[in-house]
Amino acid sequence: AQSVTQPDIHITVSEGASLELRCNYSYGATPYLFWYVQSPGQGLQLLLKYFSGDTLVQGIKGFEAEFKRSQSSFNLRKPSVHWSDAAEYFCAVGPFGNEKLTFGTGTRLTIIP
Amino acid sequence: NAGVTQTPKFRVLKTGQSMTLLCAQDMNHEYMYWYRQDPGMGLRLIHYSVGEGTTAKGEVPDGYNVSRLKKQNFLLGLESAAPSQTSVYFCASKSGTRGKTYEQYFGPGTRLTVT
């Protein structure tokens, strides 16, 4: 069975600081990995995805993520956060064809001035 | 394109009442999904559909029924609401072209409170 762990429930960073959100997955075959962002009161928006190829993937809003098979991780990074990045972030894993996704429990990001 | 829309946005029910949540998508997607989101639990899949006329159970299907009579619509029904069904419900859809993998697109959510 596939599973996703986001070990950090809540992270606070200063505006302009760098950010790394952790995601570890468990999946028996080649995983298809996603990061979604949810702003307060909104639905989920796709930030980036990894299907194959280059293990460093670029997404929207200046985010990137690196797939590390040996560590079963897909951590999300941003070099300099903006106040508008305050939101909840979800990592998800699915099989080829992506019929069903399994989501992590989310990491809430707070930005302080 | 409107993408994925959900009706209603908010609803308050009394225990035992019934209701139907409507999800509509205008992207001609084959797959549609209903999730519930509860604090500290992420998104959990309730039911999903891989095409018109088909439905399947997800992780937490008990107390819910679904129907996909038209490709663009996916209905979620609660026959007898319980306080444990208080949650935010999200609908999603994705393309199902064989041999390819696509991301899911989400609606804005429906906040349901059962008293």
Side-chain angles (χ1 to χ4, degrees):
Chain A
Q2 57 201 44
S3 66
V4 176
T5 302
Q6 293 181 250
D8 303 305
I9 296 172
H10 184 203
I11 285 182
T12 300
V13 299
S14 299
E15 190 168 15
S18 64
L19 171 70
E20 182 169 28
L21 302 182
R22 296 183 290 166
C23 172
N24 294 98
Y25 67 90
S26 173
Y27 188 67
T30 300
Y32 289 74
L33 295 156
F34 305 81
W35 274 100
Y36 282 87
V37 61
Q38 183 182 30
S39 297
Q42 305 295 315
L44 278 71
Q45 180 184 20
L46 181 71
L47 278 177
L48 48 79
K49 61 195 178 195
Y50 172 77
F51 289 170
S52 64
D54 193 348
T55 56
L56 184 64
V57 294
Q58 302 297 321
I60 62 171
K61 305 185 181 187
F63 285 91
E64 66 179 26
E66 186 170 13
F67 171 59
K68 293 185 177 180
R69 184 185 298 274
S70 61
Q71 298 178 19
S72 297
S73 69
F74 188 57
N75 295 348
L76 182 71
R77 301 194 294 247
K78 187 170 185 178
S80 177
V81 298
H82 185 262
W83 63 266
S84 60
D85 293 324
E88 188 145 23
Y89 292 79
F90 292 94
C91 182
V93 65
F96 177 75
N98 192 25
E99 182 170 294
K100 288 194 289 182
L101 285 181
T102 298
F103 285 84
T105 52
T107 297
R108 184 160 62 92
L109 176 64
T110 298
I111 309 294
I112 55 177
Chain B
N1 287 352
V4 180
T5 58
Q6 294 183 230
T7 309
K9 289 185 169 51
F10 303 93
R11 185 72 185 268
V12 178
L13 287 180
K14 294 188 188 315
T15 297
Q17 288 184 319
S18 63
M19 78 163 293
T20 300
L21 281 65
L22 170 64
C23 176
Q25 52 94 5
D26 61 2
M27 297 175 282
N28 202 34
H29 284 170
E30 288 78 12
Y31 289 70
M32 295 188 75
Y33 304 84
W34 277 108
Y35 294 90
R36 60 177 290 172
Q37 183 181 31
D38 303 290
M41 304 193 75
L43 275 77
R44 293 181 293 168
L45 183 64
I46 304 171
H47 286 281
Y48 66 105
S49 168
V50 302
E52 182 178 327
T54 72
T55 63
K57 293 181 179 179
E59 182 185 353
V60 288
D62 293 342
Y64 305 94
N65 56 75
V66 288
S67 65
R68 183 103 182 264
L69 299 180
K70 293 183 179 180
K71 186 177 184 179
Q72 63 267 34
N73 295 339
F74 194 30
L75 279 63
L76 178 71
L78 286 71
E79 290 186 348
S80 179
S84 61
Q85 293 177 304
T86 293
S87 188
V88 181
Y89 292 85
F90 287 98
C91 177
S93 72
K94 80 168 187 77
S95 177
T97 301
R98 189 177 295 278
K100 293 194 173 186
T101 297
Y102 297 91
E103 64 265 26
Q104 295 183 17
Y105 293 83
F106 283 80
T110 294
R111 184 173 295 275
L112 174 66
T113 301
V114 183
T115 62

